[in-house]
């Protein structure tokens, strides 16, 4: 006999939040990570230790809208929905296209990718360099937290059990004027877990660097980003001098500490991460995208 | 059947069931009084079992082990070295020790966790390199052969040579990744055990069961279920699973189902043998080959299984498609305490072709001649002897196929264009590479005559339907369609009137295993002859039956001891050209264009052949750069498809292929083998293209991004 599982699927977000306030539950948006995490061997259903709350259908969590220059993305928007949405910046769409395959993209959500907090989460490097802020909602109200504070380690996030990630806010993104690149390095072109992820952001005033950001995925327990290193480039002009590039690369060389595993080697991950960084820094010009 | 040309495609016989998802595979089957089996496996790579302590088993749950086997405790393949249930020594991690059976898988899995075993661990051999060093230790060398020019003559040539070139080349594991994992069901009846499952070789399984159950011919029966891919992975391995379920069914008097999930399948089933190939070639000052010695080491894993036969094919192909003066070859299968390696599409040939194509490519660089032109100088021609003193007696169209493909791909122009591109582009580098290859069709030597002795039967019903009675499996490769088509065409009846039910050893004679690119050529020919006979005696309204037996082609007799004679009755041929773009920042590879010409005698169905070409090449290309499996201290590291990384539709490009006609007298409508051939050229062509792009040499496959980045890094170090 299959064991009984309690599952909730409320019509509205407020009902969902009050249930979460009463009971510690596992939240399922798309389920593409939760179902894999709790998978049993063949012929036995997944063993999920807590009651389940489905949130994938809640329209309150599926809106994409502009608020001043900020972009708000509902946490339960599926990847496929985001690919169709005119507000979503093209580098983020490019990143989404590298995730899994169409079937997973039809189920998986942006909020899920964040809350799963995988070291190899495909959208995370970009969200880090967009300075994404997360809107968490509970019966007690809303709070906003930076993505880099929210994600604490592999599969560890700063979410209270009565909270739902409601929105991802990309501040000032609609101002434009920045050049953003994203590169996912996987073992194949679909259904691959990243061996290295890289996102670079640069905003120029003429030839002078006003703002620059980098994030690396799959080379540590969480995304690697360093404001201290980024600051060293502020005010410099492009094309950057070889010495400046070398200084930045050397600084990241010190803090990127990948591991060997069944998918790749530490040496490869580090070399490629630094190659992608060096390439980004060596570009002769940056077109806003 | 009114087809002007047999090659014209018809709808596949299995099409509807498969595309509608209605076809029931073995894991979909449930029978009365059925229980599940789960295997308790060795946690260590090498050691002696001291004791096993079972948990208290609830009612309806039982343990089955070596003591329940009525016959001898080994899986009958070739040698008696593979226990059904290990009860004394264990030789690899994952080796089956016992089976727990019962009604609920959930309970079975928790019982498995409670089994306690005491072992005396011994020093294991984990790698092929280690095994090579310990080759002379008893038990390590499981099989070896040597043949060719005498070493004294070669030494004399080497003394006078301008230069001796030595290379060492490594090939990795390859996993079959059949869509349907392995599964087997034993249906218990009082007077009979029926074993049903996913398989390629019904009579291999039946023979293994007759031995394990020590029973009479009528006490056991083997039925093939719809089989979702085999690639050789369901040639040898299912015999062991069949023994497990049959022994268990007999012991517990219930039907027993054993199905692996993907991760279990990936870590415990057979793989393609990792290999090390050594080349020692004497050249003159212009780079011409004076003599060549090849040494091949195959990692057999923990049991010899089919490895000796795999080694034979690797050796027979060790000179590739070339006529090399003064050629000597030698090879070994060595034991390691890792998962046993076994049959895989190509059967030893892919390792050899990857190695020889790589070596010849490197020699061409030394001679400063374009690889394809250098290779053409040594290409075998009709009437040439083979390296085993056999004969290439049929016409060889390779020159024509090469010329055609060079034109189709615009090879010479691309070479120039890519050079310019590579000078201008810092990040991406393009390259183009070729491979030339062949595949011997059917069993090695006189195997078809002496061991297989295939028999086929056709039964005509009163209402004019004709039923194929053969023991060959359609595993997705399309023989339901092609063999039915041969019979329909020969009898000149509707294709729909020809039936080919799932083979059942109670109903069908032994037409041999579904392996070795033999089915269309050998079984197809027998069926054609049977159909011709039936047509001559055709009487409306009555049931009729005809039987045909294998007839051997006149050849130079094969002698396994001296390794001489005609190794195969016929050969199929191929040429591949591959264009790649390498990202020098990440080492990632993009296949840009793939061109392929083949010669398989005569195509029986264009679309089925195209399926073999596209699938075989995808698998062969991936063997060269994409699919990577590693073993660490006896444990397979990649347990999921995404970690292992076989190509997806986004990794493969449209394959531009053409098949040349060259009808073979002993094949149906001139057909030879095609299934394995299409894989063989992929890896060497992709390697050559990568080398062309990066202007460097590699000594291994797969050439993964990790290998590329390391090579670029080393080069930077040298230059800097």
């Amino acid at each position: 006999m299959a064991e009984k599982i309690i599952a909730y699927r409320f019509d509205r977000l407020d009902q969902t939040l009050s249930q979460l306030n009463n009971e510690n539950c596992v939240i399922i948006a798309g389920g593409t990570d939760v179902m894999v995490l709790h998978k049993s061997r063949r012929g036995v259903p997944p063993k999920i230790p807590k009651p389940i709350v489905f949130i994938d259908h809640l329209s309150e969590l599926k809106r994409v809208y502009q608020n001043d220059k900020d972009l708000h993305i509902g946490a339960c928007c599926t990847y496929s929905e985001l690919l169709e949405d005119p507000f979503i910046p093209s580098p983020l769409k490019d990143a989404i296209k590298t995730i899994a395959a169409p079937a997973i993209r039809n189920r998986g959500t942006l909020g899920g990718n964040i809350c799963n907090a995988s070291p190899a989460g495909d959208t995370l490097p970009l969200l880090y360099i967009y300075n994404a802020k997360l809107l968490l909602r509970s019966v007690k109200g809303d709070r906003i937290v930076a993505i880099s504070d929210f994600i604490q380690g592999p599969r560890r996030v700063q979410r209270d059990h009565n909270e739902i990630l409601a929105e991802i806010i990309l501040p000032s993104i609609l101002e434009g004027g920045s050049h953003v690149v994203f590169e996912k390095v996987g073992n194949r072109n679909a259904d691959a877990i990243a061996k290295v992820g890289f996102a670079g952001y640069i905003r120029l005033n003429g030839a002078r660097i006003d703002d620059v950001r980098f994030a690396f995925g799959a080379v540590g327990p969480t995304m690697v980003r360093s404001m201290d290193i980024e600051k060293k480039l502020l005010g410099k002009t492009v094309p950057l001098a070889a010495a400046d590039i070398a200084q930045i690369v050397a600084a990241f060389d010190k803090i990127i500490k990948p591991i060997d595993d069944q998918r790749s080697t530490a040496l490869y991950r580090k070399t490629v991460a630094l190659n992608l960084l060096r390439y980004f820094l060596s570009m002769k010009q940056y077109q806003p995208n | 059947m009114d087809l002007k040309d047999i090659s014209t495609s018809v709808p596949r016989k299995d099409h509807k069931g498969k595309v509608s998802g209605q076809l029931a595979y073995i894991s979909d089957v449930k029978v009365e009084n059925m229980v599940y089996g789960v295997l308790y496996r060795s946690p260590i790579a090498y050691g002696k079992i001291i004791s096993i302590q079972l948990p208290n088993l609830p009612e309806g749950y039982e343990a089955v082990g070596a003591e329940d086997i009525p016959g001898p405790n080994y899986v009958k393949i070739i040698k008696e070295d593979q226990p059904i249930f290990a009860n004394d020594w264990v030789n690899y991690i994952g080796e089956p020790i016992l089976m727990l059976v019962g009604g609920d898988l959930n309970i079975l899995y928790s019982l498995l966790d409670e089994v306690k075993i005491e072992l005396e661990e011994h020093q294991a051999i984990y790698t092929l390199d280690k095994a090579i060093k310990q080759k002379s230790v008893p038990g390590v060398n499981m099989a070896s052969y040597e043949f060719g020019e005498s070493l004294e003559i070669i030494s004399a040539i080497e003394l006078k040579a301008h230069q001796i070139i030595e290379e060492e080349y490594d090939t990795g594991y390859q996993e079959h990744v059949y869509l349907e994992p392995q599964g087997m069901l034993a249906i218990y009846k009082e007077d009979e055990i029926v074993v049903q499952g996913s398989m390629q070789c019904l009579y291999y399984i039946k023979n293994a069961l007759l031995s394990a159950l020590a029973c009479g011919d009528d006490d056991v029966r083997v039925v093939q279920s719809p089989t979702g891919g085999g690639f050789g992975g369901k040639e040898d391995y299912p015999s062991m699973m069949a023994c497990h379920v049959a022994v268990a069914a007999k012991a517990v008097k219930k039907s027993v189902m054993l199905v692996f999930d993907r991760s279990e399948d990936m870590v415990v089933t057979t793989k393609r043998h990792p290999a090390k190939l050594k080349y020692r070639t004497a050249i003159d000052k212009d780079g011409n080959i004076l003599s060549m010695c090849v040494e091949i080491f195959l990692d057999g894993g923990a049991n010899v299984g089919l490895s000796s036969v795999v080694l034979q094919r690797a050796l027979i192909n060790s000179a590739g498609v070339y006529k090399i003066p003064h050629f000597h070859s030698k090879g070994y299968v060595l034991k390691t305490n890792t998962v046993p390696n076994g049959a895989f599409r190509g059967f030893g040939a892919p390792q050899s072709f990857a190695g020889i194509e790589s070596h010849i490519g490197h020699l061409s660089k030394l001679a400063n001649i374009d690889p394809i032109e250098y290779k053409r100088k040594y290409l075998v021609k009709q009437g040439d002897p083979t390296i085993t003193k056999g004969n290439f007696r049929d016409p060889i169209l390779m020159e024509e196929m090469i010329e055609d493909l060079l034109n189709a791909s615009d090879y010479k122009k691309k070479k120039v264009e890519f050079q310019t591109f590579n000078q201008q582009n810092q990040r991406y580098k393009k390259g183009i590479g070729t491979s030339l290859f062949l595949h011997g069709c059917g069993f090695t030597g006189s195997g078809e005559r002496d061991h297989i002795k295939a028999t086929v039967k056709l039964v005509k019903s009163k209402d004019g339907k004709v039923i194929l009675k053969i023991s060959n499996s359609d595993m997705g490769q399309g023989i339901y369609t092609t063999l039915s088509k041969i019979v329909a065409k020969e009898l000149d009846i509707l294709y729909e009137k020809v039936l080919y039910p799932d083979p059942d050893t109670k109903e069908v004679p032994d037409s041999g295993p579904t392996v070795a690119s033999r089915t269309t050529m050998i079984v197809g020919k027998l069926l054609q002859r049977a159909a011709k006979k039936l047509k001559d005696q055709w009487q409306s309204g009555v049931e009729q039956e005809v039987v045909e037996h294998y007839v051997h082609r006149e050849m130079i007799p094969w002698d396994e001891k001296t390794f001489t004679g005609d190794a195969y009755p016929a050969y199929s041929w191929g040429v591949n050209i591959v264009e790649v773009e390498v990202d020098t920042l990440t080492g990632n590879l993009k296949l840009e264009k793939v061109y392929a010409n083949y010669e398989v005698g005569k195509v029986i169905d264009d679309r089925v052949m195209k399926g073999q070409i596209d699938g075989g090449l995808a698998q062969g290309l991936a063997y060269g750069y994409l699919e990577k499996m590693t073993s660490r201290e006896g444990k397979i590291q990649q347990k999921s498809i995404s970690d292992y990384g076989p190509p997806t539709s986004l990794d493969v490009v449209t394959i531009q292929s053409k098949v040349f006609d060259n009808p073979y007298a002993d094949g149906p409508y001139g057909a030879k083998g095609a299934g394995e051939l299409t894989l063989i050229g992929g890896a060497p062509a992709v390697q050559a293209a990568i080398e062309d792009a990066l202007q460097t040499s590699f000594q291994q496959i797969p050439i993964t991004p990790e290998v590329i980045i390391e090579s670029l890094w080393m080069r930077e170090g040298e230059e800097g």
Side-chain angles (χ1 to χ4, degrees), chain A residues 1 3 41-44 47 183 185-191 195 262-264 268 271-272 275-276 279, chain B residues 105-106 109 112 259-261 264 427 585-586 588 626 637-638 642-643 645-646 648 650-651 705-706 709:
Chain A
M1 280 303 282
E3 288 160 48
R41 283 184 66 177
R42 202 192 78 82
V44 176
K47 289 187 178 133
E183 307 230 24
V185 183
N187 59 348
R188 55 181 185 172
N189 295 331
D191 269 332
K195 298 193 284 192
Q262 76 277 17
R263 285 191 277 275
S264 190
Y268 175 82
T271 310
V272 170
N275 280 351
L276 293 171
Y279 185 75
Chain B
L105 280 167
N106 199 12
Y109 296 143
L112 266 189
V259 179
F260 293 166
D261 59 20
E264 184 171 19
R427 178 166 182 178
L585 297 186
T586 64
N588 272 357
L626 198 62
Q637 299 293 295
Q638 292 75 17
S642 61
D643 282 351
T648 68
L650 291 186
D651 296 284
E706 282 75 8
I709 288 296

Side-chain angles (χ1 to χ4, degrees), chain A residues 10-31:
Chain A
F10 298 104
D11 290 339
R12 295 195 317 269
L13 180 60
D14 58 350
Q15 299 163 311
T16 310
L17 291 173
S18 67
Q19 186 59 41
L20 281 175
N21 201 48
N22 294 336
E23 195 174 9
N24 195 350
C25 298
V26 169
I27 296 175
I28 289 192

Side-chain angles (χ1 to χ4, degrees), chain B residues 458-563:
Chain B
L458 287 178
V459 174
K460 177 175 87 64
S461 64
K462 280 183 188 159
D463 59 354
K465 291 196 176 98
V466 175
I467 302 150
L468 270 57
K469 301 276 188 180
I470 54 173
S471 64
N472 294 95
S473 301
D474 190 309
M475 51 188 129
Q477 87 280 42
I479 62 165
Y480 281 152
T481 307
T482 51
L483 297 182
S484 300
K485 208 172 162 186
I486 290 166
V487 170
K489 169 115 172 137
E490 200 59 39
L491 285 167
D492 199 13
I493 61 172
L494 286 174
Y495 170 65
E496 293 73 23
K497 293 259 182 195
V498 179
L499 308 179
Y500 181 174
D502 290 334
D504 174 343
T505 55
K506 205 172 182 181
E507 300 287 328
V508 302
D510 187 356
S511 58
T514 315
V515 304
S517 300
R518 67 181 290 277
T519 310
T520 306
M521 183 174 91
I522 286 167
V523 183
K525 185 68 182 180
L526 286 174
L527 285 168
Q528 188 188 23
R529 285 190 2 228
K532 196 170 271 173
K533 209 196 258 178
L534 179 61
K535 196 177 181 188
D536 290 344
Q537 342 170 329
W538 188 278
Q539 285 177 285
S540 294
V542 294
E543 195 175 295
Q544 286 176 283
E545 199 178 288
V546 290
V547 172
E548 276 291 321
H549 300 285
Y550 178 70
V551 182
H552 204 60
R553 186 188 193 188
E554 277 301 312
M555 310 195 299
I556 301 166
W558 175 252
D559 183 339
E560 196 185 301
K561 287 206 176 65
T562 57
F563 231 74

Side-chain angles (χ1 to χ4, degrees), chain B residues 125-138:
Chain B
I125 299 176
Y126 292 124
T127 63
L128 181 58
D129 281 333
K130 192 76 182 280
I132 292 171
K133 283 195 193 110
Q134 301 190 12
K135 187 155 61 76
S136 52
V137 173

Side-chain angles (χ1 to χ4, degrees), chain B residues 651-673:
Chain B
D651 296 284
V652 182
V653 289
T654 303
I655 291 164
Q656 300 182 40
S657 60
K658 198 193 270 185
V659 189
F660 285 61
D661 270 0
N662 185 19
Y664 164 59
D666 287 319
Y669 297 97
K672 298 186 285 194

Side-chain angles (χ1 to χ4, degrees), chain B residues 18 25 27 175-183 198 226-231 234 259-262 265 475-476 619 641 646-647:
Chain B
K18 283 181 177 167
Y25 290 84
S27 67
E175 157 62 33
H176 308 85
V177 214
Y178 23 68
L179 219 56
E180 180 207 18
Q182 306 262 5
S198 193
T227 298
F231 310 110
K234 292 169 184 171
V259 179
F260 293 166
D261 59 20
R262 180 66 63 184
D265 195 299
M475 51 188 129
Q619 203 165 29
I641 290 181

Side-chain angles (χ1 to χ4, degrees), chain B residues 332-394:
Chain B
Y332 309 84
V333 176
L334 302 180
K335 174 171 173 159
T336 59
N337 295 104
T338 58
V339 60
N341 296 309
F344 197 142
R345 194 180 202 174
F347 210 73
Q351 291 94 322
S352 264
F353 274 97
I356 190 71
E357 286 293 282
S358 167
H359 184 56
I360 298 275
H362 297 164
L363 293 177
S364 77
K365 286 179 200 172
L366 284 174
N368 224 349
I369 301 175
D370 185 87
I372 191 78
E373 294 314 321
Y374 189 82
K375 288 173 181 179
R376 283 168 100 166
K377 291 204 305 180
Y378 294 96
L379 198 55
V380 290
K381 294 180 185 60
Q382 182 178 16
D384 277 348
T386 69
I387 56 172
T388 60
K389 299 182 181 149
N391 192 285
F392 287 109
R393 54 173 60 72
D394 296 318

